[in-house]
Amino acid sequence: MADACAIQGCGEVPPDLPWGKPREGKVGRKGRRDQPRARKTDHLAAMADLLGRDSADPARLFEHSLALLRERLGAERALLTRVTGLGHEVFWWAAGDEKAMHRVFEQPEKGFCGWVMSHPDRPLVIPDAEQDPLWRDSPGFRDLGIRAYAGVVLREGEQVVGTLCIQHDKPLPLGRGALSLLRALGHLLGKTLEAEQLKQELGATRDALELSSAVVQDSALQSARSGLPNRRYLDVWARATVFLARRRNEAMALALWSQPMERGLKGRLQTLAETLRGEDLLVEHSSDHYLLLMPHTAPDGAEMLLARARAALGTHPAGATLWQPDGEDLALEGALHRVAGALARAREEGRDLLWVLP
C-alpha cells in the first residue's frame, strides 16, 4: 500500500453523497428545486450539542462522541485506538454488535489504523475496500471484513498516540462532511486525552506524596494484625484503579468474607496476597473481614480466584458484587455497601458465595 493511497486511494476527497431520501425543496427561479441544507451543517449542529452537554466530563465526551459518529455516519463501529508497550489496542468504542468487536479486539493492528498512524498528516477514507484495488487484499478487509473505513490520528502534543476511526462491514458513502466531522472530533478527543494524561500524572504524583506522607506520619497503611493493606491503603489505591477502569470501560469484581484470626492465618493471608494477579488487591477491610478486589474480572473469573482463596484459607460465607465503570460510584462506596449486604445474606442463607449484582 503505497504512500500515494491517502484519501480514498489517490486523488481528492469525494463530495458528500446523499444520506437517505432528500427532503423536498422549494422551486427556484430557474425551475430547479433548491437543495436542502448540507448534511455538514447537521454534523456541526450535532457536534455543538455534544460539546454543550459533555465537554466537562471526559468519559461521557468519549462515549457520546463515538455514538455521534456511528449515528451521523451510519457506521457499525466507532473506535479509539492507541499503541502501548503491549502493542496496538482498542481502549474506547461504540458498536452495534459487541460480538463482532472480538475480532477487532484481538487484532486491531489489522484494521487500517496502523496505516493511519504511519501517515499522520493524511486521513484515510475507504468507502468500499472490496472495490478498491489498493485495499481489497488488505488484512483489514480480508481478515476482519471491514469494507468501509475512515480514520484520523490522535495526538498528545506533537506525538501521535492513536487513532479515531469508524468501521463498517458494508460500503458507506463517506464524503467531505464525514471527514470534517471525523477530523474535528479527532482534534477534540486528542486534546482531551492530553489533558487527562496530565491530570493522571499529577494525580499519581499527589498519591505518591500522600503515601510518603502517611509513612512519615506513621499512619499505618498495613494492618499489624493480618499483615495486609488496610482501608486507608484501599482508599488511595482505588483512586488510580477506578480512573483506569473507567477509561478502559472494565468492570471490577469484589468479594468480602469474615473469619476469625487464628494461629497461622496471618501467614496464609500474606501467601495468598503474594500469589494473586498483579492488579488484584487483598485488604483487611475491618477486623476479621477481608476484601478481595479484582479489576477487569467477570463473575466466572472471580469465582475461580475465590476458589483459590478458599483452598488457602478455608471455606467461609462470602458476598460478591460487580462495580461497573459507567456509573457515578467513583469511590467504590456503592459497591462496598452492596458486597457487605451480599455477605450478610450469605450468612443468613448458609451459602458459600452469594452474588448481588448492580
Side-chain angles (χ1 to χ4, degrees), residues 136-147:
R136 65 174 56 140
D137 293 324
S138 64
F141 173 60
R142 188 180 63 247
D143 298 345
L144 300 182
I146 301 169
R147 285 189 66 175

Side-chain angles (χ1 to χ4, degrees), residues 43-348:
H43 291 341
L44 294 177
M47 187 170 176
D49 181 60
L50 169 76
L51 293 176
R53 290 182 292 122
D54 299 312
S55 58
D57 185 335
R60 281 173 173 72
L61 180 62
F62 293 157
E63 176 185 350
H64 293 161
S65 294
L66 296 180
L68 173 67
L69 282 174
R70 285 194 63 232
E71 174 194 354
R72 306 302 302 180
L73 306 187
E76 173 62 29
R77 296 177 292 277
L79 315 174
L80 288 169
T81 74
R82 64 184 173 192
V83 174
T84 69
L86 299 177
H88 212 131
E89 66 175 16
V90 177
F91 72 97
W92 216 289
W93 68 92
D97 183 359
E98 289 290 337
K99 291 182 179 179
M101 281 296 300
H102 293 312
R103 297 177 303 161
V104 181
F105 287 146
E106 292 170 358
Q107 298 175 311
E109 70 280 355
K110 291 187 175 182
F112 303 111
C113 292
W115 191 96
V116 175
M117 293 190 68
S118 298
H119 304 78
D121 297 323
R122 305 167 69 181
L124 177 62
V125 178
I126 307 173
D128 186 356
E130 187 176 56
Q131 301 301 319
D132 192 327
L134 293 171
W135 301 106
R136 65 174 56 140
D137 293 324
S138 64
F141 173 60
R142 188 180 63 247
D143 298 345
L144 300 182
I146 301 169
R147 285 189 66 175
Y149 175 93
V152 296
V153 295
L154 298 174
R155 299 177 187 267
E156 290 183 8
E158 296 300 318
Q159 183 179 4
V160 174
V161 297
T163 67
L164 167 66
C165 71
I166 60 162
Q167 302 175 353
H168 200 59
D169 299 337
K170 296 179 180 178
L172 279 181
L174 297 168
R176 290 184 182 275
L179 183 57
S180 295
L181 178 64
L182 194 66
R183 276 175 157 162
L185 285 176
H187 182 73
L188 171 65
L189 298 184
K191 292 297 183 184
T192 303
L193 282 173
E194 187 176 352
E196 287 304 300
Q197 177 66 24
L198 178 59
K199 286 197 293 186
Q200 185 180 355
E201 290 172 358
L202 291 174
T205 302
R206 183 192 60 210
D207 291 342
L209 289 173
E210 287 189 8
L211 285 169
S212 299
S213 176
V215 172
V216 169
Q217 297 171 12
D218 198 26
S219 298
L221 300 177
Q222 187 179 56
S223 166
R225 191 162 182 265
S226 66
L228 297 176
N230 60 16
R231 179 63 187 266
R232 184 173 182 188
Y233 183 94
L234 171 62
D235 292 340
V236 176
W237 176 88
R239 294 177 195 175
T241 304
V242 166
F243 174 83
L244 290 175
R246 288 193 69 185
R247 185 172 181 179
R248 298 170 180 169
N249 196 34
E250 295 173 340
M252 182 188 311
L254 296 84
L256 180 69
W257 69 92
S258 175
Q259 64 183 108
M261 181 57 66
E262 58 187 7
R263 183 182 296 274
L265 178 59
K266 181 177 180 179
R268 296 200 302 274
L269 286 167
Q270 292 179 344
T271 299
L272 175 63
E274 291 169 359
T275 58
L276 293 173
R277 301 173 307 175
E279 291 183 295
D280 297 334
L281 179 67
L282 178 62
V283 302
E284 182 180 319
H285 188 251
S286 60
S287 180
D288 291 339
H289 285 73
Y290 304 98
L291 177 69
L292 179 58
L293 300 104
M294 298 161 278
H296 60 84
T297 303
D300 289 347
E303 291 192 11
M304 293 176 61
L305 291 173
L306 289 172
R308 185 192 305 173
R310 283 193 290 269
L313 306 176
T315 300
H316 304 273
T321 191
L322 282 181
W323 172 86
Q324 299 287 6
D326 55 354
E328 300 297 330
D329 189 12
L330 302 182
L332 300 181
E333 292 299 329
L336 291 173
H337 178 76
R338 205 162 46 245
V339 78
L343 172 59
R345 284 182 51 190
R347 285 172 168 169
E348 292 173 2

